[in-house]
Amino acid sequence: MPRPRRRPVRPSEARVRRLQELGELHREWVAGNADAAGFRPEEHPTPGSDYNLHHVDLDAPPGAQDEFHRRARQVMGLR
């Protein structure tokens, strides 16, 4: 028997505000770290694949990623 569908519940105003802050943090973080991010097409070596034409996977330096996660947890009210 299929599970009944749950009605969507709007997040609280506080959660909406935090998610908006998180989006702004991410936008600023990307702008400040894009030049240091590396593109490694060798990580998708499937012969004949056009992955690298349609997807962009960039990895910021580990310290920058750590800083983003630390600040994101603060924004979201996590420890």
Side-chain angles (χ1 to χ4, degrees):
M1 173 184 282
R3 294 173 60 186
R5 288 190 161 192
R6 295 174 52 186
R7 280 183 58 189
V9 177
R10 174 145 175 88
S12 69
E13 290 301 317
R15 182 152 177 87
V16 169
R17 180 185 48 75
R18 284 180 170 170
L19 290 171
Q20 288 171 336
E21 285 182 45
L22 183 60
E24 180 63 19
L25 168 64
H26 186 260
R27 186 192 66 74
E28 292 172 3
W29 181 83
V30 167
N33 289 286
D35 290 342
F39 178 59
R40 292 186 272 292
E42 68 276 3
E43 291 183 4
H44 303 283
T46 305
S49 172
D50 62 354
Y51 181 90
N52 294 321
L53 298 175
H54 301 286
H55 297 83
V56 179
D57 289 335
L58 301 176
D59 292 319
Q65 291 183 39
D66 291 344
E67 176 65 12
F68 174 78
H69 288 128
R70 185 188 65 74
R71 292 180 59 201
R73 291 180 65 79
Q74 284 179 329
V75 166
M76 296 306 293
L78 303 171
R79 293 179 186 227

